[in-house]
C-alpha cells in the first residue's frame, strides 16, 4: 500500500458528541423542534449518514429544501468551529502513532471527511496534525461528491501517482467501505470505533474489521512506532508552525 485514506470523525477523531450538538444547532436554525415527535427519526437518519457531505445530509433531512439546508449547514459549521476552538475534539487513542508508523514506512496519509474545508482544516490544526498528514480531502475538493462516491479516494490516489489498488481505506461507516469498493481500492478496512457495527461494515465490502485505527499498521504488517508523549507534543506544536494543511482541488 502506498496511500492510506483515513476517515476523521469516528475513525481518527473522537468528537465527544460535538457532531450531534452541531446537528441539533443546524436543525434549530431552521425551526425544527428537537423535542418533537419527528426528531428521533431525524437523529437516526443523520447518525447513519453523517459520513457524507453535511450539506447533502441536511438536504435529505429537510426533504430537499436546499435553502433551509444551507441555513442549517451554516449553523452546523459555526457550532463545530466553536467547539473546536473550545478544545472539545480529541484524537482516537493511538491514531497519532498509527500515522507516524505509516509515514515512516513511506505510506502517504490522507484524511477525509464530509465537513466543509474550513471546518476540516480547523480540526486538523486543533489536533496539531498538520505536519503528520500529507493531504486532507472533503467533498468540496471533488465538486461536492462526498461518500459513498469514490471521488475523494481517487483524488488521493492521483495526488500521489498511485493506482487505486495501492490505496488502503479505513473508516467507521458503510459509506467508506462502499466508496473503497467503487474506487477499486486495494483494501477496505472497517473500524468498530464509530458509526456502524461489524456486520454492516462487512456487508458493505470491508475486507477486515479492526477495533481501532491504531490497529491498522499491525494489520498491514508494519512495525509499531510508538512516540514518547513529550516528543509527540513537541512535534505537534512545531507542525502547527511549519505549514498549513495540504489540500487537493477538483480534477
Amino acid at each position: 500500500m502506498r496511500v492510506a485514506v483515513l476517515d476523521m470523525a469516528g475513525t481518527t477523531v473522537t468528537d465527544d458528541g460535538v457532531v450531534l450538538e452541531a446537528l441539533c444547532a443546524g436543525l434549530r436554525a431552521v425551526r425544527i423542534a428537537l423535542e418533537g415527535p419527528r426528531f428521533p427519526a431525524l437523529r437516526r437518519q443523520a447518525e447513519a449518514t453523517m459520513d457524507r457531505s453535511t450539506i447533502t445530509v441536511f438536504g435529505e433531512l429537510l426533504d430537499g429544501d436546499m435553502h433551509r439546508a444551507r441555513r442549517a449547514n451554516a449553523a452546523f459549521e459555526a457550532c463545530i468551529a466553536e467547539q473546536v476552538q473550545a478544545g472539545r475534539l480529541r484524537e482516537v487513542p493511538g491514531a497519532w502513532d498509527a500515522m507516524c508508523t505509516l509515514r515512516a514506512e513511506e505510506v502517504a496519509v490522507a484524511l477525509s471527511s464530509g465537513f466543509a474545508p474550513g471546518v476540516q482544516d480547523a480540526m486538523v490544526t486543533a489536533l496539531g496534525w498538520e505536519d503528520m498528514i500529507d493531504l486532507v480531502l472533503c467533498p468540496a475538493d471533488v465538486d461536492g461528491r462526498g461518500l459513498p462516491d469514490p471521488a475523494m479516494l481517487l483524488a488521493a490516489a492521483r495526488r500521489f501517482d498511485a493506482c487505486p489498488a495501492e490505496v488502503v481505506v479505513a473508516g467507521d461507516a458503510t459509506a467508506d467501505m462502499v466508496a473503497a469498493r467503487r474506487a477499486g481500492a486495494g483494501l477496505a478496512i472497517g473500524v468498530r470505533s464509530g458509526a456502524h457495527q461489524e456486520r454492516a461494515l462487512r456487508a458493505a465490502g470491508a475486507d477486515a474489521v479492526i477495533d481501532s485505527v491504531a490497529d491498522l499498521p499491525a494489520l498491514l504488517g508494519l512495525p509499531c512506532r510508538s512516540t514518547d508523549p513529550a516528543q509527540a507534543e513537541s512535534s505537534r506544536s512545531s507542525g502547527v508552525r511549519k505549514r498549513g494543511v495540504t489540500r487537493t482541488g477538483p480534477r
Side-chain angles (χ1 to χ4, degrees), residues 130-132 234-245:
E130 292 161 297
D131 203 46
M132 181 48 61
S234 175
S235 180
R236 287 185 174 105
S237 299
S238 65
V240 172
R241 291 193 299 269
K242 280 184 180 177
R243 58 180 172 84
V245 177

Side-chain angles (χ1 to χ4, degrees), residues 55-181:
I55 184 65
T56 300
V57 172
F58 279 115
E60 294 179 355
L61 293 177
L62 299 170
D63 301 321
D65 186 338
M66 295 310 295
H67 175 70
R68 296 176 74 207
R70 284 188 288 272
R71 287 171 50 203
N73 194 58
F76 173 92
E77 292 179 0
C79 183
I80 288 282
E82 290 175 3
Q83 298 304 322
V84 168
Q85 290 298 316
R88 289 280 306 278
L89 296 179
R90 295 180 294 110
E91 69 178 61
V92 166
W96 173 267
D97 284 343
M99 290 188 288
C100 282
T101 299
L102 292 167
R103 291 284 303 279
E105 297 297 322
E106 299 186 350
V107 178
V109 174
L111 295 181
S112 68
S113 79
F115 299 125
V119 172
Q120 187 183 39
D121 294 352
M123 292 170 68
V124 171
T125 299
L127 290 163
W129 285 355
E130 292 161 297
D131 203 46
M132 181 48 61
I133 58 174
D134 299 290
L135 181 69
V136 291
L137 287 161
C138 70
D141 297 315
V142 287
D143 298 325
R145 291 174 291 167
L147 300 178
D149 190 291
M152 288 193 290
L153 308 185
L154 294 173
R158 286 194 298 268
R159 172 65 176 76
F160 299 106
D161 295 321
C163 65
E166 295 173 310
V167 177
V168 55
V169 177
D172 64 300
T174 56
D176 296 297
M177 304 300 100
V178 173
R181 295 273 72 87

Side-chain angles (χ1 to χ4, degrees), residues 28 31 43 77 85 95 107 128 147 195 198 210 217 224:
R28 281 195 297 268
R31 301 183 183 279
R43 175 173 173 169
E77 292 179 0
Q85 290 298 316
V107 178
L147 300 178
E198 179 171 352
I210 53 181
C224 180

Side-chain angles (χ1 to χ4, degrees), residues 203-225:
D207 294 302
V209 179
I210 53 181
D211 289 333
S212 165
V213 71
D215 302 320
L216 180 60
L219 182 71
L220 298 177
L222 304 179
C224 180
R225 295 177 182 268

Side-chain angles (χ1 to χ4, degrees), residues 17-35:
V18 168
V19 172
L20 180 59
E21 288 180 26
L23 169 74
C24 292
L27 293 177
R28 281 195 297 268
V30 291
R31 301 183 183 279
I32 297 294
L34 303 186
E35 68 278 3

